[in-house]
Amino acid sequence: MLPVNEAETIIFNLVPPLDSPSNTEIVDLLSARGRILAAPVTSKLDFPHWDNSAMDGYAVRYEDVKNSSRENPVVLEVIGEIPAGYQPKLSLQPGQAARIFTGAVMPEGADTVIMQEVTQRQENRVLIQAAPKAQEFVRKRGSYYQAGDKLLPDGMMINAPEMAILAAAQCNQVSVFRKLKVAIFSTGDELVTPNQPLQPGQIVDSNNYALAALVEQLGAEVLMLGIVPDQPEALRKTIATGIENADIILSSGGVSVGDYDYVEEILAALGGEIHIRAIAMKPGKPLTVARFSLSNYRHPIYFGLPGNPAAALVTFWRFVQPTIRKLSGLTDGWQPVWIRAKVPQELRSDGRRESYIWGKLNLVDGVYEFVLAAGNQVSGNLINLAHTNAFAVLPVGQKMVLAGEEVMVLQV
């Protein structure tokens, strides 16, 4: 069995991000949310587009008002009003001011804005009752971004803030990486779908549904291949279909040592190079990882996950989720997220393998706290997986974490 960290290194090194032109596409802005930029974005616009006011107040010349105070206010002539959305036609001369509103273009001759709270209006005059700083409350053209510079880098996901930036920059189309395709199937003669009557000895296949939901949450397309019986030819055809049509193939079950476990033999026959057969983790020991080289650009990766529901989810979150994120083109943020948290109750392990204990991570008074899920922590118990958002991890050799101590937690 491979140590977990060694297996992680092997898996992540197998995954080059999408980088060829054949893996990119142009999408409209409204279709870009959740996609990953395949090329840096630039704009022809400066931000701000022009010198504008950051306050409601008066546009003035700094030299006119630099010595003003409540005791000795400076009196200026108000020669006009500048609302937002208009190009001012007036030009300030010494001793003059213009009423201006937030976002409005600064008039020629003005270099500073006085906030209205420190002024007093008297018909066509305004009393300035406080000395400003030079260029105060003026947003200078290009001070946020200058046209032609990199606006957004490639390899980042487009979320709400990036959507706003792209819209403001009038980037109506963007180059993004294509969506990954992930094929999913479960193996086992004992499995039935949720709509089938359950006979003695049968098990409802929950893994297909859980894995599909997780894959879709990551923005990839799911190819559901269903339940495959423990028959070599059926398994071969299903795996071959996945290799031909998907970037990642996920199976659950059929990867332990048993009379009907044909997966590794089939992978090798289809040209797969098997890199991992078992990992020293609990749950999740029976994990098979193989890679296929179909062309210079196509290298499908196969993950044979354990059949037990908790083990399937642990191995997905630990290895498959970051793999999908990296392969999707993310430059940063694809790695597993680790947090140190306190535990209010005792945690136990047999110490023989790296143990993953599921529960819920909360932020309490500024301190992360991991609360153990109620019920039995066994890989076949999917009932207490509800609300799981983290796993406390006890390394090999550690059998206990006392209440009040800290533990490393994998956030999912």
Side-chain angles (χ1 to χ4, degrees):
M1 292 185 293
L2 287 174
V4 174
N5 287 342
E6 185 176 336
E8 177 188 69
T9 299
I10 291 172
I11 292 169
F12 295 165
N13 285 341
L14 290 175
V15 185
L18 299 177
D19 58 3
S20 69
S22 63
N23 288 321
T24 65
E25 59 187 10
I26 304 297
V27 298
D28 293 334
L29 179 57
L30 286 176
S31 302
R33 186 189 64 81
R35 304 298 295 273
I36 298 170
L37 283 171
V41 174
T42 60
S43 176
K44 297 178 181 179
L45 301 174
D46 291 323
F47 286 84
H49 309 319
W50 45 75
D51 292 358
N52 69 92
S53 175
M55 280 284 177
D56 290 350
Y58 292 88
V60 300
R61 299 171 69 253
Y62 175 71
E63 285 297 320
D64 289 342
V65 298
K66 63 182 181 181
N67 295 318
S68 58
S69 66
R70 182 172 293 277
E71 294 76 22
N72 296 292
V74 172
V75 180
L76 301 175
E77 178 190 5
V78 180
I79 64 169
E81 184 173 283
I82 309 171
Y86 292 89
Q87 178 65 41
K89 296 180 173 58
L90 56 85
S91 177
L92 293 191
Q93 302 299 318
Q96 294 180 335
R99 181 79 167 106
I100 196 167
F101 297 90
T102 303
V105 178
M106 292 290 290
E108 184 179 345
D111 58 14
T112 299
V113 172
I114 302 291
M115 60 189 300
Q116 64 185 19
E117 287 82 356
V118 296
T119 67
Q120 182 179 348
R121 183 71 179 265
Q122 296 178 347
E123 296 182 349
N124 68 335
R125 302 188 308 163
V126 63
L127 279 65
I128 310 300
Q129 298 176 324
K133 298 177 182 178
Q135 301 183 11
E136 190 168 28
F137 300 125
V138 175
R139 296 183 288 216
K140 301 293 289 184
R141 175 175 180 170
S143 59
Y144 304 160
Y145 167 84
Q146 294 184 355
D149 290 347
K150 184 186 293 185
L151 183 64
L152 296 174
D154 56 332
M156 74 175 303
M157 182 174 288
I158 302 171
N159 290 313
E162 293 75 32
M163 289 288 287
I165 293 169
L166 291 168
Q170 295 186 320
C171 295
N172 296 312
Q173 293 185 321
V174 291
S175 175
V176 297
F177 289 112
R178 65 172 177 82
K179 290 186 176 183
L180 292 184
K181 294 183 178 179
V182 179
I184 300 174
F185 67 93
S186 299
T187 65
D189 292 336
E190 75 280 13
L191 299 178
V192 296
T193 61
N195 61 343
Q196 290 180 267
L198 193 63
Q199 301 299 322
Q202 293 183 329
I203 300 172
V204 176
D205 174 30
S206 61
N207 287 345
N208 259 327
Y209 295 88
L211 295 174
L214 289 169
V215 168
E216 288 177 344
Q217 287 173 8
L218 295 171
E221 295 180 1
V222 175
L223 175 62
M224 298 291 285
L225 301 182
I227 298 171
V228 182
D230 287 319
Q231 298 170 8
E233 183 58 22
L235 284 170
R236 189 196 67 77
K237 288 182 178 179
T238 302
I239 294 173
T241 298
I243 294 168
E244 182 178 353
N245 295 283
D247 302 287
I248 294 175
I249 303 95
L250 301 180
S251 74
S252 61
V255 292
S256 61
V257 178
D259 292 339
Y260 298 98
D261 298 332
Y262 309 107
V263 173
E264 286 195 12
E265 180 181 335
I266 293 168
L267 292 174
L270 291 172
E273 181 180 357
I274 299 175
H275 294 268
I276 294 173
R277 291 176 170 83
I279 297 180
M281 64 185 295
K282 181 181 180 180
K285 171 187 171 183
L287 177 68
T288 299
V289 180
R291 186 173 185 247
F292 298 82
S293 295
L294 305 184
S295 69
N296 289 335
Y297 301 120
R298 285 214 64 219
H299 302 281
I301 297 176
Y302 174 88
F303 286 91
L305 307 181
N308 285 328
L313 291 181
V314 169
T315 49
F316 181 95
W317 276 316
R318 184 65 178 87
F319 303 111
V320 182
Q321 180 167 275
T323 296
I324 292 175
R325 286 174 171 165
K326 184 180 180 184
L327 186 57
S328 295
L330 276 177
T331 301
D332 298 306
W334 56 266
Q335 300 90 341
V337 177
W338 295 96
I339 293 173
R340 184 170 290 278
K342 286 188 175 181
V343 291
Q345 72 273 73
E346 186 179 279
L347 303 180
R348 289 180 175 271
S349 164
D350 60 18
R352 293 194 294 268
R353 288 179 277 162
E354 187 166 294
S355 296
Y356 288 69
I357 301 170
W358 54 94
K360 191 168 184 180
L361 185 67
N362 301 305
L363 189 61
V364 181
D365 297 328
V367 177
Y368 281 106
E369 180 181 273
F370 175 82
V371 179
L372 179 70
N376 292 331
Q377 291 264 334
V378 294
S379 59
N381 182 12
L382 61 78
I383 303 303
N384 68 345
L385 285 168
H387 304 299
T388 293
N389 67 357
F391 292 86
V393 180
L394 275 62
V396 175
Q398 184 175 4
K399 296 184 177 182
M400 184 183 300
V401 176
L402 298 176
E405 293 183 341
E406 290 187 336
V407 65
M408 291 304 297
V409 174
L410 174 66
Q411 188 177 30
V412 299

